[in-house]
């Protein structure tokens, strides 16, 4: 779609789509960062298919994430997650929103590094907590003090999320604002990567 006032000017989505080329865009980050919601929105703006890895895992296993954790444990869930992500990345380009632990798993992280551009939605504890405490479908947060659990996960995981190609700050503003910042960051990242290779 082009701008109606300036028909020859490509939209932000079109420019980001061109910058992405054949690569997948992979959202990573902690629970509540907005990977699923923003990923879907960005996919729409890029005109690319969207897949949420948790939804895909639930589809193929015919179980919810909570049921999978309860029946088989976290290790089995991670093994399934690795397999599903490997398959999804093979037939891109698409936008893939991962579950919060996917990028922490070394095998999965390597697959993501090979298969596309990774984008960390970074958010502070209060933003995450405000969002996740409204729902109870996340098995890792079924603890006595879920806010403390979230904080502990931040300490452990943030140095690893920081390895992502792009970081965008997810905060308390409209989702459209974050989605547009993601598109601009893709354009910026690919332009910088191209000038490094010149
Ligand atoms: N920028 C935002 N402003 C308000 N709510 C948001 C924003 N981004 C995400 N959310 C909401 O926060 C909740 C968690 O987002 P979700 O996309 O499920 O996170 P994740 O997949 O990273 O765990 C959802 O209800 C989502 O609609
Ligand atoms: O952080 C994690 O280890 C997890 C995050 C969840 O996804 P979201 O990050 O989309 O909530 C889901 O994959 C599972 O509950 C485990
Ligand atoms: Mg999600």
């Amino acid at each position: 779609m082009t701008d109606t006032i300036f028909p020859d000017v490509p939209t932000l989505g079109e420019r980001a789509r061109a910058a992405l080329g054949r690569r997948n865009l992979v959202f990573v980050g902690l629970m509540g960062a907005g990977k699923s919601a923003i990923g879907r929105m960005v996919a729409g703006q890029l005109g690319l298919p969207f897949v949420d890895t948790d939804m895909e895992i639930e589809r193929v296993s015919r179980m919810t994430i909570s049921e999978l954790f309860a029946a088989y444990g976290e290790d089995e869930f991670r093994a399934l997650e690795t397999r599903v992500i490997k398959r999804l990345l093979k037939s891109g380009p698409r936008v893939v929103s991962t579950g919060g632990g996917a990028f922490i798993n070394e095998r999965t992280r390597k697959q993501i590094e090979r298969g596309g551009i990774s984008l960390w939605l970074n958010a502070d504890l209060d933003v995450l907590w405000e969002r996740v405490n409204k729902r109870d479908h996340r098995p890792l947060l079924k603890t006595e003090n879920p806010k403390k659990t979230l904080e502990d996960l931040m300490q452990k995981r943030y140095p690893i999320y920081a390895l992502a190609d792009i970081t965008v700050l997810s905060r308390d503003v409209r989702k459209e604002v974050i989605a547009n910042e993601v598109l601009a960051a893709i354009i910026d990242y690919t332009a910088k990567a191209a000038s490094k290779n010149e």
Side-chain angles (χ1 to χ4, degrees):
M1 209 182 21
T2 48
D3 194 293
T4 47
I5 304 168
F6 304 104
D8 296 330
V9 179
T11 63
L12 191 59
E14 286 168 338
R15 285 167 55 214
R17 175 67 193 89
L20 197 59
R22 298 204 47 73
R23 291 170 287 193
N24 294 289
L25 176 66
V26 185
F27 282 84
V28 306
L30 205 55
M31 295 173 268
K35 304 177 296 296
S36 302
I38 305 294
R40 185 181 293 280
M41 197 173 266
V42 166
Q45 283 165 293
L46 290 171
L48 283 177
F50 170 72
V51 190
D52 185 278
T53 63
D54 282 339
M55 284 177 63
E56 182 64 8
I57 289 167
E58 290 185 338
R59 192 182 69 80
V60 298
S61 68
R62 297 193 199 153
M63 292 170 91
T64 66
I65 302 296
S66 289
E67 286 166 352
L68 275 168
F69 266 70
Y72 303 111
E74 183 171 349
D75 287 353
E76 277 301 310
F77 170 77
R78 296 298 169 205
L80 183 55
E81 186 174 53
T82 304
R83 285 206 299 279
V84 163
I85 291 177
K86 187 175 182 186
R87 172 169 61 76
L88 290 176
L89 292 175
K90 263 191 203 153
S91 48
R94 49 162 64 107
V95 176
V96 179
S97 289
T98 60
F103 199 64
I104 305 306
N105 181 293
E106 201 180 339
R107 274 186 68 195
T108 313
R109 190 166 65 251
K110 293 274 177 288
Q111 285 168 5
I112 295 173
E113 276 165 11
R114 280 195 297 271
I117 296 179
S118 52
L119 189 146
W120 175 28
L121 282 182
N122 178 2
D124 71 29
L125 181 61
D126 288 332
V127 166
L128 296 172
W129 176 243
E130 202 41 50
R131 293 182 188 159
V132 298
N133 84 33
K134 293 191 180 120
R135 295 194 57 193
D136 70 346
H137 66 293
R138 294 179 170 95
L140 292 184
L141 297 180
K142 286 181 180 142
T143 59
E144 272 194 13
N145 185 347
K147 190 170 180 186
K148 171 78 169 56
T149 305
L150 203 53
E151 194 176 9
D152 291 345
L153 284 171
M154 283 179 77
Q155 300 285 336
K156 270 196 229 141
R157 290 180 174 183
Y158 274 27
I160 301 173
Y161 292 141
L163 299 170
D165 297 315
I166 302 175
T167 298
V168 169
L169 198 60
S170 176
R171 53 203 191 279
D172 201 7
V173 293
R174 284 169 43 243
K175 290 176 200 168
E176 287 77 5
V177 174
I178 307 292
N180 281 341
E181 287 184 16
V182 166
L183 296 173
I186 296 167
I187 296 166
D188 193 46
Y189 169 77
T190 52
K192 280 192 187 128
S195 69
K196 249 192 235 164
N197 290 333
E198 266 168 16

